[in-house]
Structure formats: C-alpha cells, structure tokens
Amino acid sequence: MYHKLQYISQGNTIEEQLYNIHQALDAGCDWVQMRFKNQTAKDTFKLAETVKFLCEEYLANFIVNDNLYLAQQIAADGVHLGLTDMKIEEARAILGSTKIIGGTANTFEDIENHVKNGCDYIGLGPFRFTSTKEKLSPILGLSGYFDILEKMKKNKLEIPVYAIGGIDLKDISPLMETGIHGIAVSAMITNSDQKKKLIQQLNEKLYANVIV
C-alpha cells in the first residue's frame, strides 16, 4: 500500500527545489511529487534527473507532476495528472501497467471517472484555500471529504484518497476520520524549521489507527 504522506516540492529554481526535496527526504519523507511549473524543458529535465537519483538513494517514491513524457523519459515511479492535463486512460496506455498514475479530483464524479480509467490514487481537494496552487477548484472543507468518501463507500469505489490544500497539523486527525488514505502537503514541510520533528508528528497522526 502507498505511503500516507506525500511531499509536493516547492521552489522557483533548480537549487531551491533540490534543497527543499533533499531536506524533506532527510527528515523522513518517502514520497516526493516533483512540481516545477512554468520552467524550461532543459531545467525541468535537469532537476528531474537529480531528484530521481536522490529518491533512489533514500528509497523514496518519485512522482512527476503533470509531465507524463518526462516521467517516461527518466523512468520515474509515476506521474500525477491534474484535471486539465492528459486523460488518465491515455497516460495508462503510454506508461503501461507498472507505473503509478495519480489524478486530481474535486468531486465524486471526478473520482468515479479516474477509477474507471485506471488511476492508482486520488489527490482530492482543496481542503482549504492555499496560495501554493493557481486556479483553485471549489474548497471542500471537512464536510466535503465526508460526503465524497461516504458516496465512495456506497458505490463500492476503492482507491487511496489523499487530502490536499492548506492542511495543518491539527487537521490530520479529523481528516483521517473521513476515511482518506493520507495527505499531500507542500508548504507545511517546506516552511518548517523542524522538519524531522514535523514528519514524525505527521506520521504518528497518519498511522495512529493502523494495526501493524
């Protein structure tokens, strides 16, 4: 089963990205989604090559945000596609069955489509307003997650769902009660000056009710 904590990278330059990703891995993150928007193909490739090496060194999953052909080119573990990116079924046909494909969702219908088309996990959000992402979908809040997860149960839809968007430490326990699998966070980890402690606290909350 997939790790419950995903780190979505931040940084406007290759150097900032690498610093933030290395720090997150060093602090115990074992799933990195590389998000490097509006950059040249050359810089994005250069960053991805180095991040892949880092993730292999730390035995972490490496997912490329949006860029399916880059994920294929450097043999990343998978790709995460937004609602306006390439369709999941097209991505699956290109990447094959062994790679991870994640999809962004804002509604139950989004999830239903993703599952039908061969998605592996869902990034459901936003939980609340976040400045990390442009063009935000409607905010879900806790009640939105409860409603959507309840519909999934009724329709027997089973797929790991990650909450995303402006999540704080205090939100984890109530979010986990909705039935989500885990969380995907960016600024919370990037901006922390005690990353090891934070990731330990996050994992304690995320795995609180898991029987090993």
Side-chain angles (χ1 to χ4, degrees), residues 68 81-83 85-97 99-104 108-122 157-159:
L68 177 128
L81 298 169
L83 286 167
D85 295 325
M86 179 186 281
K87 290 189 176 355
I88 301 288
E89 63 267 38
E90 286 177 43
R92 180 57 73 202
I94 293 164
L95 286 183
S97 59
K99 295 296 182 183
I100 300 167
I101 299 179
T104 298
F108 170 73
E109 289 71 27
D110 292 337
I111 296 173
E112 208 171 22
N113 285 331
H114 286 342
V115 172
K116 186 177 71 184
N117 293 319
C119 201
D120 292 306
Y121 76 87
I122 302 291
L157 277 189
E158 289 186 15
I159 188 168

Side-chain angles (χ1 to χ4, degrees), residues 8 83 103-107 110 122-146 148 161-168 171 175 180 184:
I8 301 173
L83 286 167
T104 298
N106 180 246
T107 65
D110 292 337
I122 302 291
L124 180 63
F127 172 61
R128 65 162 62 89
F129 175 79
T130 171
S131 58
T132 307
K133 191 170 162 77
E134 294 173 20
K135 296 178 186 168
L136 270 192
S137 295
I139 295 192
L140 294 174
L142 212 50
S143 61
Y145 283 91
F146 268 113
I148 292 169
V161 173
Y162 289 82
I164 182 168
I167 296 167
D168 287 328
D171 301 317
L175 272 169
I180 59 162

